[in-house]
Amino acid sequence: MTTHQWTLQESFYFPAEYGAFAESAEVKVTPGFTEERTEEAIRLQGIYHIAANVVFDADKQVELPAEDLLIINDVEVENSKGYFEYAVPLNVDLPAELDGNLQLEVQDVKTTSQEDGGLNLEWTVHLKQEQPVQEPVQEPVAIVEEPAEPQLTAASTSHMQFLANADRALEQVHNEMEDFLLYIAEMDDDVTRKIFHSNNVFVEAERQSSE
């Protein structure tokens, strides 16, 4: 973080009927600006907003000189206590190499009474250059997918169902074959007995069932 600072001052006068400035109860200076960047410089333009609670010495008469002075006519005064606001121009040129977020902070606000009854206000401005916070780079997290477990139950069930269906089909074919052979064996015509001898029929049926 780089820090620059500078000091400004301004003199204020008030209408003579209020008396001379005696002291300040509270003074606040708030900077507000816009930022313009070029290759040569960084220019800040805006205002210093001044809000002050002051105390007047009504017994001390003030004669304002004829020269050009900054007179605050808009002052709220009650029982020698006054409040006023004012804006002082803000124009600052900074080095072009400054980067990051630029902030102005006012410190060391001082007020002094002048012999001619005026108020001398002095303040110091600190420029704070804050570098942007770099978020840590998050490395991608490798997601390891575990291989899916083989669907043993489903596969086994499907395979067992297939075998059961096959067994039932073979049994049905076998039963139909036996019925057909028995039907042939029981026929009484000579032709059938000569072509399909009963002994051969049952031997053939037995052979097929053993296979």
Side-chain angles (χ1 to χ4, degrees):
M1 182 176 68
T2 304
T3 303
H4 300 269
Q5 69 179 40
W6 55 91
T7 300
L8 299 108
Q9 64 177 1
E10 187 68 65
S11 294
F12 300 97
Y13 292 87
F14 307 94
E17 60 266 26
Y18 300 147
F21 167 76
E23 61 180 355
S24 63
E26 182 181 9
V27 179
K28 185 176 182 180
V29 182
T30 305
F33 62 92
T34 59
E35 181 180 323
E36 180 183 358
R37 292 178 178 263
T38 64
E39 295 181 357
E40 291 78 19
I42 301 175
R43 172 162 293 183
L44 307 183
Q45 292 183 319
I47 62 169
Y48 297 101
H49 178 264
I50 299 171
N53 288 303
V54 296
V55 179
F56 296 105
D57 184 358
D59 296 333
K60 185 177 181 179
Q61 299 299 317
V62 177
E63 293 184 5
L64 299 178
E67 61 187 44
D68 190 16
L69 299 175
L70 177 55
I71 301 176
I72 306 298
N73 292 304
D74 188 7
V75 185
E76 299 177 6
V77 180
E78 183 178 357
N79 297 327
S80 298
K81 295 181 180 180
Y83 172 81
F84 74 94
E85 296 182 12
Y86 193 77
V88 175
L90 185 159
N91 292 290
V92 180
D93 288 336
L94 300 171
E97 60 268 16
L98 294 179
D99 56 4
N101 184 26
L102 302 182
Q103 297 180 354
L104 298 184
E105 180 180 344
V106 175
Q107 299 179 359
D108 302 326
V109 179
K110 300 177 182 178
T111 59
T112 56
S113 58
Q114 301 180 157
E115 293 182 359
D116 55 4
L119 159 65
N120 184 71
L121 178 63
E122 181 179 297
W123 65 94
T124 301
V125 184
H126 295 262
L127 171 67
K128 293 187 175 181
Q129 177 193 359
E130 295 185 355
Q131 299 293 340
V133 178
Q134 296 182 354
E135 297 183 358
V137 179
Q138 296 182 352
E139 298 182 358
V141 179
I143 300 177
V144 179
E145 297 185 359
E146 296 183 357
E149 295 183 359
Q151 302 295 327
L152 297 178
T153 303
S156 177
T157 302
S158 177
H159 181 66
M160 295 299 294
Q161 186 67 33
F162 170 78
L163 294 178
N165 293 338
D167 289 342
R168 283 195 296 270
L170 290 175
E171 184 179 357
Q172 182 177 359
V173 171
H174 176 70
N175 292 336
E176 291 177 354
M177 180 64 68
E178 283 188 350
D179 293 341
F180 177 70
L181 293 175
L182 290 173
Y183 168 76
I184 294 175
E186 292 175 355
M187 297 184 77
D188 294 333
D189 61 288
D190 295 334
V191 176
T192 304
R193 289 182 178 276
K194 290 180 180 179
I195 299 176
F196 300 99
H197 299 287
S198 60
N199 187 44
N200 292 336
V201 169
F202 285 107
V203 171
E204 182 68 16
E206 183 68 19
R207 183 191 309 167
Q208 290 184 359
S209 93
S210 64
E211 291 178 354

